[in-house]
Amino acid sequence: MAAVRSMNKMYGVCFHVVRQTAGLKVSRLLQHRAFRVGAVQRQQPFDSTLEKPQFPGASADFVDQLDFIQPNVISGIPVYRVMDRQGNIINPSQDPQLSKETVLNFYQKMTLLNTMDRILYESQRQGRISFYMTNYGEEGTHIGSAAALDPNDIVFGQYREAGVLMYRGFPLDLFMAQCYANADDLGKGRQMPVHYGSKDLNFVTISSPLATQIPQAAGAAYALKRENMNRAVICYFGEGAASEGDAHAGFNFSATLECPLIFFCRNNGYAISTPTNEQYRGDGIAARGPGYGMLSIRVDGNDVFAVYNATKEARRRAVAENQPFLIEAMTYRIGHHSTSDDSSAYRSVDEVNYWDKQDHPISRLRHYMTTRGWWSEDDERSWRKQSRKTVMEAFERAEKRLKPNVELMFTDVYQEMTPGLNKQRESMWRHVQQYKEHYPLDLYDK
Amino acid sequence: ESLVHWPTQKMNLFQSVTSALDNTLASDPTAVIFGEDVAFGGVFRCTVGLRDKYGKDRVFNTPLCEQGIVGFGIGAAVAGATAIAEIQFADYIYPAFDQIVNEAAKYRYRSGNLFDCGNLTIRAPWGCVGHGSLYHSQSPEAFFAHCPGIKVVIPRSPVQAKGLLLACIADQNPCIFFEPKILYRAAVEQVPVEPYTIPLSQAEILQEGSDVTLVAWGTQIHVMREVANMAQEKLGVSCELIDLQTILPWDTETVCKSVVKTGRLLISHEAPITGGFAAEISSTVQEECFLNLEAPISRVCGYDTPFPHIFEPFYIPDKWKCFEAIKKMINY
């Protein structure tokens, strides 16, 4: 009891709300406001006749018992879910009751992503593309959150959010073009595979350094807030990236500057080989949110409806109230970190199989669909066949395509071509003309 | 210059910065200024009056976190706002190095021009100030000169500061603008009240000469002016003085053309000599002008030590060291 009381003191009323199992519709707006505004009481006149602390830095009461607040990691922030592991709805009031068409789309996007992952992972093993990262096991986090956003909301990702892009309609040809770095790549062949981006779909191009997107997302959200056009920002990152200084910076900035932003942490258990107990000692990432004055929730990332519900409500309130939200989606990285990793070196096959077989976002959603008579074995068979076919066709097209013109090595460094780069460019072509048999010019567009 | 007939006001360097920022906030509704302590006017008074005039959503304090300031600035610029970030001292820019080098500089290139943060300008006080010591005196331009994709600009005076800062803000590439802090109050000029820009990547020849080319930027220009006068009076040597202004991308053409004419080059900066930007200029000039050189290129810079406190008078590349270097070149 003492631990819970101290937790309440530390987290204010936020913790109290999170413990409610009643619907998200219940808005504790006023209490949250009080907690948040309470932290900014510095304009109050100081009055030493009051027995209340007058410090500008905190709004609190005095206490005369020496007690350290216990970080609670044994029974930490609970995990919100809508379906059980078999895909049955637990509390009917939480079923978002999406249409059959919408749910089928969720399922098809998750499985199409899975199919594309299998084919592209294989293609790297065969030396056709240089590198790949799969999304196995995390499809629910992508599709559930993407579906809850507005198409004009800006997405900042890390690298394991291809399903968000797929949900928004990024065509297979463009996924493939980026991985093959061919002449159709919107990124002009400059980055390693899976570093997707799309201006039309408001998905900011991925970069390899981790967590750099987090403070950027805060800045973008601030700019959107000033524009006042009902747009939000979502920022994805893993539990490993959350250890970076940029994560701390981004959380703090978004809260102090009141940004309409959703922080979406995919806690998948591993950062390459580093398990979570070597990544942090506290109660995951959700427990950090209140430390920044941020509303936070932990959800079952393998439950696409839980992800959907939490993201939807967070988005609505982030824009309405101009404050950030933190969603920690618990999930599991079924695949290796990338094609450069063999995870059998640091975890057992049994562990991976548990998640693949017993708690997978795709199978849980399938069960939900089959229970309602929305999806049959025949549907499954023909969809698998069709999705594999479309992926293979895109794959073959991408493979045949030439690489981008080598001129594109020198453009976009600045908006304009500089005299210095122009000279280097000319020098490069002169050299390549002279030594052309040593350069693979035939593979590149002219 | 066409600025000659514009209405002007006496301004020191920090006031000329305020004027540039004021012009920007007035004409660009997306412009925002942020960083540590900018709300009350800034520790060097560069943002005095702007919050009251334009609102707290446009001129605001951030938490004390340089990586956050620059990261936030990049994101705001990506979303279409004109983002002007202040780093309190150039000495504290390093936590933001990853955001500047790995993110801002590469945003356009890596996205195939789908995204860019060209609307970002980072300002920071720069250079020695008499008592600044290790962490209030640094000139870090060389670290950033090695980074394709950003621009690095350093003004020598209030008129230059306003024009170059406005050029950086207008430029569609992320720019770092270093402001010589010793000149904030010391340098006073009649500065046009209306906005104007001075071109980036164009070095300015401040005085023509025939015997030695002097290249510098920021505060050191004023030292070199005196050196040029000393050389003329005591040695009868005619110096051509060039203010580089933009460190990256730098105006190789103007400098090389001058050295072809004079045959001698002296470059001077406060930053430590090894790997300092004078090394880049020297290397390029010897490649382009080798046969024109009458003497080895001379660099008069800070020593390879951290910037010292009590030893500052011995550390800085003062006019005597530069004068001596010219004598050696003439007698080579």
Side-chain angles (χ1 to χ4, degrees):
Chain A
M1 247 340 259
V4 171
R5 216 185 314 126
S6 339
M7 279 283 273
N8 275 344
K9 272 191 192 160
M10 182 174 140
Y11 293 153
V13 290
C14 303
F15 183 69
H16 209 81
V17 172
V18 166
R19 292 181 74 219
Q20 302 289 341
T21 49
L24 289 159
K25 303 273 189 261
V26 178
S27 181
R28 300 278 171 164
L29 194 102
L30 282 170
Q31 285 169 308
H32 291 297
R33 273 290 185 206
F35 177 80
R36 216 154 56 82
V37 167
V40 193
Q41 262 173 10
R42 57 189 163 83
Q43 303 302 333
Q44 299 266 354
F46 299 115
D47 182 349
S48 61
T49 64
L50 294 175
E51 273 310 298
K52 202 170 151 39
Q54 298 295 300
F55 304 112
S59 166
D61 288 323
F62 282 119
V63 68
D64 54 35
Q65 288 272 78
L66 177 62
D67 263 321
F68 289 101
I69 294 167
Q70 180 106 327
N72 195 340
V73 299
I74 305 302
S75 54
I77 295 173
V79 183
Y80 170 74
R81 66 174 182 171
V82 173
M83 296 184 276
D84 64 19
R85 291 192 188 92
Q86 286 71 45
N88 304 307
I89 298 288
I90 296 164
N91 178 348
S93 75
Q94 298 302 297
D95 182 344
Q97 298 186 331
L98 300 168
S99 70
K100 175 179 170 186
E101 191 191 341
T102 300
V103 174
L104 254 56
N105 185 36
F106 281 15
Y107 183 76
Q108 288 171 347
K109 289 291 183 315
M110 289 200 284
T111 48
L112 183 63
L113 175 62
N114 189 279
T115 301
M116 182 178 84
D117 275 351
R118 285 170 202 278
I119 287 167
L120 284 175
Y121 185 90
E122 252 326 287
S123 82
Q124 192 278 342
R125 284 355 242 163
Q126 294 170 14
R128 296 167 190 267
I129 62 175
S130 61
F131 175 81
Y132 193 69
M133 300 178 98
T134 58
N135 303 274
Y136 302 146
E138 300 185 52
E139 298 90 347
T141 62
H142 304 180
I143 271 60
S145 56
L149 299 168
D150 196 272
N152 288 327
D153 293 340
I154 300 180
V155 175
F156 283 83
Q158 184 173 296
Y159 52 56
R160 218 183 290 279
E161 295 91 14
V164 174
L165 203 43
M166 189 169 269
Y167 185 87
R168 283 193 163 184
F170 200 61
L172 288 171
D173 280 329
L174 290 181
F175 278 110
M176 301 283 171
Q178 199 284 328
C179 288
Y180 274 91
N182 68 28
D184 296 332
D185 176 23
L186 297 179
K188 300 179 186 169
R190 290 152 181 172
Q191 293 213 82
M192 283 167 75
V194 312
H195 288 66
Y196 311 115
S198 167
K199 179 110 184 124
D200 292 342
L201 300 178
N202 295 302
F203 189 97
V204 180
T205 304
I206 298 302
S207 72
S208 308
L210 295 182
T212 48
Q213 73 276 18
I214 303 178
Q216 292 173 21
Y222 190 89
L224 293 187
K225 175 173 78 165
R226 289 203 70 242
E227 264 185 17
N228 203 18
M229 302 277 284
N230 182 22
R231 294 173 74 192
V233 174
I234 190 165
C235 180
Y236 295 91
F237 53 94
E239 87 285 350
S243 294
E244 281 281 358
D246 271 347
H248 163 67
F251 296 158
N252 200 21
F253 273 57
S254 68
T256 54
L257 299 174
E258 300 173 355
C259 304
L261 166 55
I262 303 159
F263 290 114
F264 194 103
C265 177
R266 295 175 294 95
N267 187 330
N268 63 15
Y270 289 89
I272 307 186
S273 70
T274 305
T276 53
N277 67 358
E278 289 172 9
Q279 194 64 249
Y280 54 76
R281 242 356 110 77
D283 178 21
I285 284 54
R288 299 179 198 170
Y292 294 98
M294 199 165 23
L295 283 153
S296 315
I297 192 168
R298 171 174 284 150
V299 306
D300 180 345
N302 292 350
D303 175 345
V304 71
F305 295 141
V307 172
Y308 176 84
N309 285 351
T311 308
K312 194 121 182 100
E313 178 66 359
R315 196 247 176 233
R316 185 187 71 76
R317 293 188 59 185
V319 174
E321 299 162 30
N322 283 321
Q323 61 171 320
F325 282 74
L326 174 60
I327 299 173
E328 184 182 18
M330 308 307 293
T331 179
Y332 187 84
R333 195 197 77 207
I334 289 174
H336 307 301
H337 166 69
S338 72
T339 47
S340 306
D341 177 46
D342 175 6
S343 60
S344 67
Y346 50 83
R347 61 183 185 178
S348 72
V349 168
D350 287 341
E351 178 184 309
V352 177
N353 273 338
Y354 167 81
W355 291 96
D356 198 24
K357 302 282 180 292
Q358 316 241 24
D359 190 346
H360 199 292
I362 291 175
S363 44
R364 284 165 78 176
L365 187 63
R366 182 165 64 240
H367 183 91
Y368 176 89
M369 288 159 41
T370 55
T371 302
R372 278 153 189 75
W374 290 352
W375 194 254
S376 68
E377 284 295 318
D378 282 343
D379 291 326
E380 178 73 15
R381 247 192 310 274
S382 70
W383 167 248
R384 289 279 175 180
K385 194 161 157 220
Q386 182 200 326
S387 52
R388 191 180 157 77
K389 179 163 176 285
T390 44
V391 172
M392 285 307 298
E393 283 168 358
F395 171 84
E396 279 152 17
R397 279 194 295 273
E399 185 141 300
K400 291 194 179 73
R401 199 76 180 82
L402 288 174
K403 303 308 179 194
N405 191 320
V406 183
E407 287 282 312
L408 294 176
M409 178 166 66
F410 290 102
T411 57
D412 302 326
V413 178
Y414 296 96
Q415 185 197 42
E416 71 280 6
M417 177 61 71
T418 60
L421 275 174
N422 211 19
K423 271 171 59 177
Q424 292 177 15
R425 189 181 62 85
E426 287 166 357
S427 161
M428 189 273 302
W429 280 122
R430 275 197 305 273
H431 172 81
V432 168
Q433 272 315 300
Q434 198 186 339
Y435 287 85
K436 57 165 90 74
E437 68 273 19
H438 300 293
Y439 292 90
L441 277 167
D442 290 338
L443 299 178
Y444 294 78
D445 212 3
K446 300 280 176 285
Chain B
E1 257 203 329
S2 52
L3 293 178
V4 164
H5 301 294
W6 291 28
T8 63
Q9 198 178 301
K10 190 163 97 167
M11 296 185 208
N12 60 28
L13 201 136
F14 75 71
Q15 288 165 336
S16 71
V17 169
T18 315
S19 178
L21 297 176
D22 194 340
N23 292 154
T24 302
L25 291 167
S27 62
D28 179 350
T30 75
V32 287
I33 301 172
F34 50 91
E36 294 152 23
D37 304 298
V38 302
F40 88 103
V43 295
F44 289 109
R45 306 173 59 108
C46 293
T47 51
V48 168
L50 298 179
R51 183 175 170 95
D52 286 342
K53 191 168 173 186
Y54 295 101
K56 59 186 174 64
D57 61 318
R58 301 188 70 188
V59 181
F60 52 92
N61 292 338
T62 64
L64 208 168
C65 177
E66 289 77 12
Q67 67 194 104
I69 290 167
V70 173
F72 177 91
I74 292 170
V78 168
T82 294
I84 302 166
E86 177 175 304
I87 298 294
Q88 198 156 86
F89 283 86
D91 314 57
Y92 308 139
I93 201 166
Y94 308 109
F97 201 73
D98 187 43
Q99 285 285 351
I100 293 168
V101 169
N102 267 334
E103 296 289 314
K106 298 171 168 61
Y107 231 89
R108 189 189 293 277
Y109 188 80
R110 74 189 188 199
S111 70
N113 200 26
L114 292 178
F115 298 95
D116 70 84
C117 58
N119 288 334
L120 173 66
T121 303
I122 301 166
R123 300 174 35 247
W126 169 101
C128 78
V129 71
H131 56 277
S133 180
L134 282 79
Y135 302 113
H136 298 82
S137 311
Q138 288 180 41
S139 309
E141 66 273 11
F143 292 109
F144 298 100
H146 191 56
C147 180
I150 52 169
K151 297 195 176 182
V152 180
V153 178
I154 306 175
R156 67 172 183 273
S157 75
V159 170
Q160 298 298 307
K162 176 167 169 170
L164 290 169
L165 177 55
L166 285 171
C168 287
I169 292 169
D171 194 281
Q172 287 302 296
N173 301 291
C175 296
I176 303 179
F177 186 73
F178 287 125
E179 301 167 356
K181 66 178 82 67
I182 202 173
L183 299 180
Y184 271 145
R185 292 162 72 92
V188 182
E189 283 183 316
Q190 288 291 335
V191 180
V193 174
E194 291 302 307
Y196 60 94
T197 57
I198 290 172
L200 301 183
S201 295
Q202 268 188 41
E204 189 181 344
I205 300 176
L206 299 185
Q207 78 182 49
E208 291 188 10
S210 52
D211 302 325
V212 182
T213 300
L214 306 177
V215 174
W217 46 90
T219 319
Q220 198 65 6
I221 285 291
H222 305 290
V223 176
M224 297 304 246
R225 255 216 184 88
E226 281 197 59
V227 174
N229 291 340
M230 284 162 71
Q232 183 67 70
E233 281 163 28
K234 301 185 198 219
L235 307 170
V237 165
S238 153
C239 295
E240 180 147 292
L241 175 56
I242 300 179
D243 180 0
L244 198 63
Q245 291 180 160
T246 300
I247 306 302
L248 181 77
W250 70 281
D251 184 358
T252 57
E253 197 183 320
T254 299
V255 174
C256 289
K257 194 164 153 206
S258 173
V259 178
V260 163
K261 183 171 74 168
T262 64
R264 295 176 190 84
L265 175 61
L266 166 63
I267 316 154
S268 185
H269 57 63
E270 290 167 22
I273 189 166
T274 298
F277 198 65
E280 158 65 24
I281 298 172
S282 176
S283 187
T284 299
V285 169
Q286 69 85 28
E287 274 172 17
E288 301 291 319
C289 314
F290 185 74
L291 293 174
N292 301 98
L293 289 170
E294 297 291 336
I297 297 170
S298 181
R299 297 179 292 159
V300 180
C301 306
Y303 300 115
D304 290 329
T305 72
F307 202 105
H309 177 41
I310 209 66
F311 309 113
E312 178 164 334
F314 298 90
Y315 179 87
I316 53 173
D318 62 25
K319 63 189 181 190
W320 306 110
K321 292 179 183 173
C322 295
F323 177 69
E324 186 57 28
I326 289 178
K327 266 213 292 199
K328 285 201 166 67
M329 275 200 291
I330 294 297
N331 296 327
Y332 187 77

